């Protein structure tokens, strides 16, 4: 029997702001079973950092999991050699070199093109009108699904994310996710005859990946590559507007946009957790876990771990964020990390503050989510 102490949560509060509950767990029950999520949560940074690498104990292969059921079995739901083979096939599209030599200038041209129509307007919802289309345009290029509109790209990504975190089993959420995956498959079929150079579709197809895996991995890239940059772009802008002295440090060259993004991702992890399936009975820190138990490695909680970060609830771009594990800490470390850093820190953040002068909030900014977290809207204005 799973002997982890039980912690109850209020799901509505957890969705609105998971951090107070996670702080309590880190102190009183760092490995704890949460009945409302039917999962054992690991909340301390070091436990996650160590245990995530134990693939003999914590498997990513979760045949009954929502992601596999709804999107097919992608590389993030495989272990060992099967995982590595697919990860290697994708690497040429997302390697730091490809990002630097190929994608960076494309990302910049797309963002500038978008700003040409947005900047004269003087106001917008920064999530919907800037972070979303900039992320979507980048992702259409990276995946090779150029026939998809920005709005559809964002919509299918959100539908899959909602589907994968639909732990309460809402049938409407499932149906929307299924419509999204069908639309993606239609676009894959259309693009497969002549996929763009360096795109994920092209490199995985050239590597001989079978159709099911190719489709599942394109869906993974979309579910992981749209919402997170979108939420991080808007969220980091919001954090910097709320901390003008830190924004000034960047503008004066005393800190970097990457410092701001790294700190934001530590503080408000766009991906709050990654699930695993327990493979064999074992005991960690006196707590016995049983085969088939569901475990969540809580990356968002790791970023607030008091043992690693002073005043962890404070946004501070001058802190050392190296201990943060916002992109993961094991063999499934985010395959798109270089692309994400480039898009967010090299392109989207500097261009936003350059082309939207005196950027300011015009209404409160609501945040939502614990598995995936970000601002849901962000009304802003600027000088024209
Ligand atoms: C702010 C942006 C992003 C964040 C915070 C983020 C975070 C993560 C996290 C936490 C994981 C799971 C790691 C684990 O379980 O150890 C992951 C996996 C992954 N991410 Fe990202 N991600 C971001 C952007 C992207 C982008 C832009 C792409 C692709 C274009 C991408 C593609 C992937 C893929 C393919 C995996 C699975 C890797 C594997 O299983 O080996 N991500 N990401």
């Amino acid at each position: 029997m799973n002997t982890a102490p039980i912690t109850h949560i209020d799901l509505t509060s957890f969705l609105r702001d998971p951090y107070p509950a996670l702080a309590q767990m880190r102190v009183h029950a760092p490995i704890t079973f949460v009945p409302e999520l039917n999962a054992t949560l690991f909340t301390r940074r070091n436990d996650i950092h160590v245990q995530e690498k134990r693939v003999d104990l914590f498997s990513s292969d979760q045949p009954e999991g929502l992601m596999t059921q709804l999107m097919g079995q992608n590389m993030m739901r495989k272990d060992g050699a099967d995982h590595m083979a697919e990860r290697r096939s994708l690497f040429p599209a997302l390697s730091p070199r490809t990002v630097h030599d190929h994608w960076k200038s494309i990302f910049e041209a797309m963002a500038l093109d978008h700003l040409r129509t947005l900047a004269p307007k003087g106001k917008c919802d920064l999530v919907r009108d800037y972070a979303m289309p900039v992320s979507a345009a980048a992702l259409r290029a990276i995946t090779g699904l150029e026939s998809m509109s920005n709005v559809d790209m964002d919509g299918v990504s959100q539908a899959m994310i909602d589907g994968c975190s639909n732990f309460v089993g809402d049938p409407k959420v499932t149906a929307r996710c299924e419509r999204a995956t069908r639309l993606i498959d239609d676009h894959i079929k259309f693009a497969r005859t002549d996929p763009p150079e360096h795109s994920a579709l092209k490199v995985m197809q050239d590597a001989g990946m079978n159709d099911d895996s190719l489709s599942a991995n394109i869906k993974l890239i979309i579910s992981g590559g749209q919402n997170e940059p979108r939420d991080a772009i808007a969220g980091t802008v919001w954090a910097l507007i709320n901390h003008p002295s830190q924004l000034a440090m960047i503008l004066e060259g005393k800190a970097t946009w990457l410092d701001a993004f790294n700190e934001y991702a530590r503080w408000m992890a766009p991906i709050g957790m990654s699930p695993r399936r327990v493979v064999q009975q074992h005991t960690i820190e006196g707590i016995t876990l049983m085969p088939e138990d569901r475990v969540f490695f809580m990356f968002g909680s790791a970023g607030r771990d008091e043992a690693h970060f002073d005043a962890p609830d404070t946004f501070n771009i001058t802190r050392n964020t190296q201990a943060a594990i916002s992109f993961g800490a094991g063999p499934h470390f985010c395959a798109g990390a270089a692309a994400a850093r480039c898009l967010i820190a090299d392109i989207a953040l500097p261009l936003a503050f350059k082309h939207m002068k005196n950027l300011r909030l015009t209404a409160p900014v609501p945040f939502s989510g614990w598995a995936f977290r970000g601002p849901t809207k962000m009304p802003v204005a600027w000088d024209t």
Side-chain angles (χ1 to χ4, degrees):
M1 189 185 120
N2 180 321
T3 63
I6 292 175
T7 305
H8 285 284
I9 57 166
D10 174 55
L11 271 176
T12 309
S13 317
F14 204 61
L15 196 65
R16 197 169 47 236
D17 181 3
Y19 289 111
L22 292 169
Q24 290 297 312
M25 293 177 201
R26 282 195 302 278
V27 173
H28 299 294
I31 301 173
T32 186
F33 180 73
V34 177
E36 291 76 12
L37 301 174
N38 189 24
T40 302
L41 273 54
F42 280 55
T43 58
R44 282 191 182 155
R45 186 264 178 200
N46 276 3
D47 287 343
I48 300 169
H49 195 255
V50 170
Q51 300 303 334
E52 198 189 341
K53 296 171 183 73
R54 302 286 316 268
V55 289
D56 54 325
L57 301 178
F58 297 104
S59 174
S60 292
D61 180 7
Q62 300 157 64
E64 303 306 320
L66 287 170
M67 181 178 262
T68 308
Q69 292 285 324
L70 292 167
M71 292 162 52
Q73 191 180 15
N74 58 50
M75 71 177 77
M76 207 164 75
R77 292 293 177 264
K78 293 184 180 179
D79 297 320
D82 291 347
H83 162 244
M84 276 317 292
E86 293 188 8
R87 194 174 159 105
R88 250 195 312 272
S89 303
L90 175 61
F91 183 73
L94 293 173
S95 73
R97 177 176 289 253
T98 309
V99 169
H100 181 270
D101 295 351
H102 183 69
W103 296 126
K104 188 174 177 180
S105 58
I106 292 176
F107 293 165
E108 183 173 26
M110 287 172 161
L112 282 171
D113 189 43
H114 185 68
L115 277 162
R116 257 189 288 281
T117 30
L118 181 64
K121 294 186 177 160
K123 64 176 185 175
C124 76
D125 173 346
L126 200 95
V127 177
R128 186 194 59 201
D129 302 326
Y130 182 66
M132 186 278 268
V134 166
S135 301
L139 199 58
R140 287 165 51 217
I142 290 175
T143 53
L145 302 190
E146 290 174 342
S147 56
M148 195 178 264
S149 71
N150 289 343
V151 170
D152 276 352
M153 182 58 90
D154 193 67
V156 293
S157 174
Q158 190 64 54
M160 288 191 294
I161 279 182
D162 293 344
C164 293
S165 49
N166 181 21
F167 298 110
V168 292
D170 182 341
K172 285 201 288 293
V173 174
T174 305
R176 194 160 66 90
C177 180
E178 286 167 349
R179 280 197 299 278
T181 56
R182 278 197 299 273
L183 183 66
I184 296 169
D185 280 329
D186 289 346
H187 281 277
I188 292 177
K189 209 183 287 171
F190 179 76
R192 277 196 77 161
T193 43
D194 187 19
E197 280 305 313
H198 303 289
S199 67
L201 195 54
K202 168 89 175 151
V203 301
M204 292 194 293
Q205 187 163 285
D206 286 357
M209 192 180 283
N210 71 58
D211 291 358
D212 286 348
S213 296
L214 191 136
S215 161
N217 282 315
I218 289 288
K219 288 168 192 157
L220 167 68
I221 296 166
I222 294 175
S223 72
Q226 167 64 15
N227 286 42
E228 293 72 18
R230 179 197 72 196
D231 294 347
I233 291 166
T236 310
V237 169
W238 171 81
L240 288 171
I241 293 176
N242 280 323
H243 297 84
S245 61
Q246 298 188 41
L247 175 60
M249 288 179 69
I250 299 174
L251 298 175
E252 288 160 12
K254 294 178 186 151
T256 64
W257 298 107
L258 189 59
D259 293 334
F261 164 58
N262 286 340
E263 171 61 352
Y264 176 79
R266 173 202 72 79
W267 182 59
M268 203 74 83
I271 295 191
M273 70 92 178
S274 189
R276 295 293 184 274
R277 178 175 58 86
V278 174
V279 181
Q280 48 176 297
Q281 180 175 339
H282 65 282
T283 301
I284 298 171
E285 294 171 22
I287 291 168
T288 301
L289 300 173
M290 301 300 289
E292 303 306 317
D293 281 353
R294 187 160 67 156
V295 159
F296 290 169
F297 291 133
M298 304 299 289
F299 301 132
S301 176
R304 302 275 185 122
D305 191 334
E306 302 71 7
H308 291 273
F309 306 103
D310 291 337
D313 295 337
T314 304
F315 177 79
N316 173 6
I317 64 168
T318 67
R319 78 165 77 237
N320 183 345
T321 54
Q322 258 173 2
I325 49 175
S326 337
F327 283 111
H332 293 276
F333 180 86
C334 177
R341 289 192 186 105
C342 171
L343 177 68
I344 297 164
D346 295 347
I347 308 295
L349 294 176
L351 289 184
F353 284 98
K354 181 171 175 196
H355 291 269
M356 294 182 265
K357 294 277 181 226
N358 189 21
L359 192 56
R360 52 198 182 269
L361 303 172
T362 53
V365 175
F367 276 69
S368 176
W370 61 272
F372 302 93
R373 184 163 183 80
T376 50
K377 61 177 176 185
M378 188 173 160
V380 292
W382 59 92
D383 302 342
T384 52

